Amino acid sequence: MPERKAAWVRPMFEAIAPRYDLLNFLISFGMHHGWRRRAVRETLRHEPRVVLDMGTGTGDLALALLRGGGGGPAVVGLDFAGSMLTIARRRAQAARAGERARFVMGDALHPPLADGSVDAVVSGFLLRNVDGLPEVFAAMARVLRPGGRLVILEMTPMRRRLLRPFFRLYFNRWVPMLGRVVSRHASAYTWLPQSVDEFISAEALASLIAAAGFSDVRVRRLGLGSVALHTATRA
Ligand SMILES: C[S@@+](CC[C@H](N)C(=O)[O-])C[C@H]1O[C@@H](n2cnc3c(N)ncnc32)[C@H](O)[C@@H]1O
């Protein structure tokens, strides 16, 4: 595989965009809605006015933030795959999000936003797909105002010994087959389990977040331990 992930991750997401939401639903048995709701609750607890959703994809997390109630924040969804953003914009229009949702093309390593300009940064299932986690966290810290919140949802290597063999059978065997048939992409859903296997532990991720200038770093495990929700405060 080429050295920089972006070179093949971007065309991969461009290609699978039309089937991305359906596959999320099938693979997680619909549980991904609950995980996003948890992330949204964590984000809205601090009543942000502006939220950046990095790696917004088809805008699931961004739109869930807008549905969260109250006056609610304005949300900027950032992604480098144009076909994902096209779907996100269409969904925002259907949800009559108006000015409150803005979808922008750009790289998570260089978000086109001013220093300290957002109250919260969220990301769902982005981090396994980028090179240089310290650089991504530095970019997140740069755009957040001091005291702003970071909320990260990501798959995490399964720790539970009893569940691990069943999970591997499902995730490493069944998911690639299902993904190939439904997305008609040869490797995207082989990359999914492979990227989780290669990903660092939730504890190591928490240490990287702290090293990037965040305090109050907390981890909660969801989805039988297959998903981690990290929260932190920009110091
Ligand atoms: C697994 S999808 C997650 C989408 C969405 N956040 C969700 O929860 O469903 C990862 C998204 O991150 C985007 N992405 C990956 N690397 C990126 C980068 N370096 N800069 C911007 N977007 C990136 C991909 O295009 C894709 O839409």
Side-chain angles (χ1 to χ4, degrees):
M1 288 197 170
E3 209 171 75
R4 299 296 297 178
K5 282 182 187 169
W8 51 273
V9 162
R10 184 176 179 169
M12 180 180 84
F13 280 106
E14 292 282 9
I16 65 173
R19 297 295 171 100
Y20 178 78
D21 291 327
L22 173 63
L23 271 159
N24 267 356
F25 182 81
L26 295 176
I27 290 170
S28 75
F29 303 102
M31 286 195 292
H32 67 122
H33 292 308
W35 305 335
R36 285 200 180 79
R37 274 199 298 275
R38 282 291 294 269
V40 166
R41 265 207 310 275
E42 281 300 325
T43 311
L44 295 184
R45 244 169 12 110
H46 301 269
E47 300 184 1
R49 281 172 307 158
V50 183
V51 182
L52 169 65
D53 177 17
M54 275 214 198
T56 192
T58 58
D60 249 11
L61 207 43
L63 296 173
L65 279 162
L66 295 181
R67 282 192 297 268
V75 182
V76 180
L78 178 78
D79 205 287
F80 65 9
S83 51
M84 296 292 256
L85 289 175
T86 301
I87 297 173
R89 289 190 185 110
R90 202 184 303 142
R91 294 176 73 196
Q93 220 169 15
R96 299 182 192 282
E99 298 287 294
R100 286 177 64 206
R102 202 154 58 85
F103 292 96
V104 177
M105 180 166 312
D107 191 335
L109 291 163
H110 307 284
L113 285 135
D115 295 3
S117 59
V118 304
D119 304 300
V121 171
V122 300
S123 89
F125 311 105
L126 163 75
L127 297 180
R128 282 169 296 108
N129 297 294
V130 293
D131 298 296
L133 289 175
E135 287 81 0
V136 181
F137 290 132
M140 291 170 162
R142 181 184 69 73
V143 298
L144 266 173
R145 65 162 172 76
R149 292 287 288 172
L150 181 67
V151 176
I152 295 201
L153 204 51
E154 187 48 280
M155 304 286 301
T156 191
M158 174 66 92
R159 279 193 317 188
R160 293 190 186 185
R161 275 227 219 122
L162 279 178
L163 283 178
R164 214 185 297 156
F166 299 103
F167 183 75
R168 286 191 74 80
L169 186 68
Y170 173 69
F171 205 55
N172 295 50
R173 298 281 168 136
W174 171 246
V175 164
M177 270 194 300
L178 178 72
R180 210 166 25 246
V181 172
V182 177
S183 76
R184 301 192 192 97
H185 191 282
S187 57
Y189 288 86
T190 307
W191 165 242
L192 171 57
Q194 184 190 331
S195 64
V196 178
D197 283 345
E198 291 171 359
F199 200 52
I200 59 174
S201 68
E203 292 72 22
L205 196 68
S207 301
L208 283 182
I209 293 172
F214 289 89
S215 59
D216 186 25
V217 184
R218 292 188 60 188
V219 188
R220 296 169 192 77
R221 287 170 196 279
L222 314 170
L224 301 174
S226 62
V227 172
L229 178 66
H230 286 76
T231 54
T233 303
R234 166 84 161 88

